[in-house]
Amino acid sequence: MTAATPSGMLTLTDSRTGKTYEIPVENGTFRTMDFRQIKVSDDDFGLLGYDPGFLNTASCKSAITYIDGDRGILRYRGYPIEQLAEHSTFLETAYLLIKGELPDRERLDAWTYNIRHHTMTHSNIVKFMDGFRYDAHPMGIMVGMVGALSTFYPDAKEITSEASRKLQVRRLIGKIPTLAAMSYRHSMGFPYVLPDNDLSYAGNFLSMMFKMTEHDYRPNPVLEHALDVLFILHADHEQNCSTSAVRAVGSSGVDPYTAVAAGCAALYGPKHGGANEAVIRMLLEIGSVERVPEFIRAVKAGSGRLMGFGHRVYKNYDPRAKIIKKIAFEVFEETGRSPLLDIALELERIALEDDYFISRKLYPNVDFYSGLIYQAMGFPLDMFPVLFAIGRIPGWLSQWTEHVQDPEQKIARPRQIYLGEEQRDWAPIEGRLKCRTEECVMTSCRL
Ligand code: CMC
């Protein structure tokens, strides 16, 4: 919803009581607290909204990211994603998201300097990292390590101090690639690589990931640019699952490291940050272009989903997918064409002409081609959600900053509809229902 939607009054008549209410509508929204006055009796609690998954509930007012899912529009602070992907860098985009405006040269230089000088981690971080099993999932490591950062920076608890908030933002953007690369090198048994502040943000990350014995690692500029653009495309996406987690946990007043660790935890899930990995597994399972029609038939018959297709908000081509598809071809020029690309192109071609997908408005989303690029660059599948997390850090932090400064916000605390037992009295153990008998109602206890 936007401020452009006209304001007015909603007139409601409660058929239970015959009473009529005037509910203000502003920005295409009513306040569900205004429904609390709608009661059937004086001791009635009042009307609640019921919205599992928050399909039709705005949790905040925000000036950061705008999405129009029907028209395939995504803008950060008003700037179309296409323009940022073409002309901006990830660090400049991070500045835009967090501070609200594009920086001039002096500000961008100072911002870049500040981020680069926070890329090192405390040496005790290595001890934490070494404690994880050799096969620990890098995203599980990230959840733990980002949370652990809060113990190194107790000053981060001062969330009402602007100076402290700015410092934690710089630290987090600076350190995330270092932790991410360490999580990969730990799983490979490779020694950790220190940050190289002569390189760009994406270039330094590639160095910390892939540098081996070479004295002077220089990233491939095409891959470095592609990664930077992928970070820009993932930088924010308004109130998605992980951002909502950051805001909800942050609403308790906890430090930003702990709030962002909650974002990492949410992103770990296969329905969110794990879909790009699922696309690669699906393409591998299909195996050849010839088998695509058979796979599409199976999806239509209900035997699974076309991964990387469909989106809760976009009912049109995801604008990020268009940009990523173009980058995929640039990357493959360098790395050689992935045999999976032809399968993906054929899937997309058939799906976009098929009434099943057209009628449900299912189009490629951000994950359809991003996994192919990551794979071509040499990232293992487990690292895909970690790459998503690096890109999303400025989004989480800008949303957290907006949240803690919003005077209307309170601790996140949804209500529920209680459908359980009425009050009943405790019974001695001998008098309770016996397990594994016909009268036992606890069918799920599995004793
Ligand atoms: N393949 C086949 N059918 C699909 C797909 C798909 N990828 N997505 C939705 N449908 C069908 C679904 O079966 C349903 O059909 P019907 O009306 O006959 O029952 C209809 O389309 C609506 O589906 P829905 O599950 O109600 O839609 P949703 O908005 O709740 O789900 C989604 C959105 C992204 C979870 C879903 O499209 C999906 O599972 N896509 C595949 C996974 C994927 O690519 N996820 C990445 C999302 S983008 C990255 C991110 O935001 O984290």
Side-chain angles (χ1 to χ4, degrees):
M1 282 302 144
T2 68
T5 322
S7 298
M9 283 295 195
L10 190 67
T11 307
L12 287 177
T13 303
D14 186 346
S15 66
R16 302 171 303 169
T17 59
K19 283 192 194 162
T20 296
Y21 301 86
E22 293 279 305
I23 308 285
V25 175
E26 199 188 348
N27 304 324
T29 321
F30 60 84
R31 288 177 180 260
T32 44
M33 275 305 283
D34 287 341
F35 277 61
R36 196 65 86 68
Q37 59 181 306
I38 305 177
K39 301 177 176 198
V40 286
S41 62
D42 284 346
D43 60 355
D44 181 5
F45 182 78
L47 216 52
L48 277 179
Y50 177 55
D51 187 9
F54 310 114
L55 271 75
N56 198 38
T57 298
S59 62
C60 60
K61 293 176 181 167
S62 182
I64 302 172
T65 291
Y66 173 74
I67 301 176
D68 181 333
D70 290 331
R71 293 194 291 156
I73 291 174
L74 170 61
R75 296 181 201 136
Y76 298 159
R77 301 282 188 185
Y79 293 100
I81 191 67
E82 295 79 4
Q83 291 182 22
L84 292 168
E86 186 164 352
H87 303 296
S88 207
T89 62
F90 176 64
L91 280 190
E92 186 179 69
T93 304
Y95 184 102
L96 170 70
L97 282 168
I98 286 161
K99 299 187 185 266
E101 296 295 338
L102 284 169
D104 62 12
R105 170 60 54 200
E106 195 185 336
R107 288 192 178 93
L108 181 61
D109 288 348
W111 170 251
T112 305
Y113 176 91
N114 281 332
I115 303 290
R116 281 198 185 143
H117 286 76
H118 285 289
T119 49
M120 298 269 279
T121 57
H122 190 287
S123 54
N124 279 10
I125 286 284
V126 174
K127 295 184 188 158
F128 276 90
M129 198 63 81
D130 288 345
F132 286 100
R133 258 178 64 130
Y134 68 96
D135 59 351
H137 194 290
M139 198 60 192
I141 296 180
M142 290 300 281
V143 175
M145 297 310 298
V146 174
L149 281 184
S150 78
T151 65
F152 289 86
Y153 305 112
D155 57 315
K157 287 185 174 40
E158 294 159 29
I159 62 164
T160 53
S161 151
E162 190 184 357
S164 171
R165 286 199 304 266
K166 284 182 171 172
L167 177 59
Q168 315 317 326
V169 163
R170 295 199 286 266
R171 280 177 174 154
L172 256 166
I173 298 176
K175 288 179 205 316
I176 282 289
T178 314
L179 295 178
M182 284 171 90
S183 72
Y184 163 71
R185 305 219 27 140
H186 172 77
S187 67
M188 300 299 288
F190 294 154
Y192 304 128
V193 176
L194 287 175
D196 180 344
N197 287 347
D198 290 336
L199 297 175
S200 71
Y201 191 81
N204 172 48
F205 176 59
L206 288 170
S207 162
M208 291 188 291
M209 282 287 300
F210 299 122
K211 184 172 184 223
M212 297 307 277
T213 53
E214 54 280 53
H215 197 255
D216 190 17
Y217 177 91
R218 293 289 127 189
N220 177 315
V222 175
L223 305 191
E224 181 183 5
H225 172 71
L227 191 58
D228 201 64
V229 175
L230 281 160
F231 287 158
I232 292 175
L233 300 181
H234 285 90
D236 196 46
H237 214 230
E238 50 118 308
Q239 307 313 315
N240 55 85
C241 176
S242 56
T243 302
S244 300
V246 170
R247 279 188 178 254
V249 172
S251 76
S252 71
V254 77
D255 67 84
Y257 301 101
T258 308
V260 167
C264 290
L267 195 64
Y268 195 176
K271 289 186 187 161
H272 192 7
N276 45 17
E277 179 181 338
V279 171
I280 299 295
R281 294 196 194 284
M282 173 187 75
L283 296 175
L284 288 168
E285 187 194 321
I286 297 172
S288 69
V289 171
E290 292 68 43
R291 293 193 56 209
V292 168
E294 179 193 329
F295 181 80
I296 295 266
R297 270 196 300 279
V299 168
K300 285 163 59 177
S303 84
R305 290 198 166 192
L306 181 48
M307 298 312 289
F309 257 68
H311 197 276
R312 172 63 61 76
V313 180
Y314 294 117
K315 300 302 168 196
N316 200 325
Y317 213 104
D318 180 338
R320 300 167 300 172
K322 277 189 195 153
I323 301 166
I324 288 179
K325 187 174 174 185
K326 186 168 158 272
I327 293 174
F329 284 99
E330 289 168 17
V331 167
F332 290 141
E333 283 283 307
E334 293 295 308
T335 61
R337 194 178 170 98
S338 162
L340 299 181
L341 177 66
D342 293 323
I343 304 176
L345 288 169
E346 183 66 356
L347 268 177
E348 184 187 352
R349 189 188 68 75
I350 296 186
L352 291 182
E353 288 173 356
D354 191 302
D355 191 51
Y356 175 95
F357 296 92
I358 296 169
S359 62
R360 289 169 179 78
K361 299 187 175 171
L362 300 171
Y363 295 88
N365 61 46
V366 68
D367 291 317
F368 194 64
Y369 288 104
S370 63
L372 285 171
I373 302 178
Y374 295 148
Q375 200 187 32
M377 286 179 170
F379 291 103
L381 294 190
D382 277 0
M383 278 299 283
F384 290 7
V386 176
L387 295 164
F388 193 151
I390 298 174
R392 187 52 58 86
I393 283 286
W396 286 335
L397 290 170
S398 56
Q399 301 272 352
W400 171 80
T401 305
E402 188 176 68
H403 194 93
V404 297
Q405 290 182 289
D406 182 347
E408 283 199 324
Q409 284 298 339
K410 294 182 178 302
I411 185 166
R413 205 313 185 176
R415 310 296 302 215
Q416 63 166 6
I417 306 169
Y418 178 71
L419 298 175
E421 301 283 351
E422 291 297 330
Q423 180 175 327
R424 48 187 176 164
D425 291 327
W426 185 88
I429 198 159
E430 295 76 19
R432 296 180 199 160
L433 286 178
K434 296 214 174 1
C435 203
R436 298 204 196 117
T437 58
E438 272 181 21
E439 71 269 27
C440 180
V441 289
M442 295 169 68
T443 47
S444 62
C445 79
R446 292 178 188 274
L447 279 178

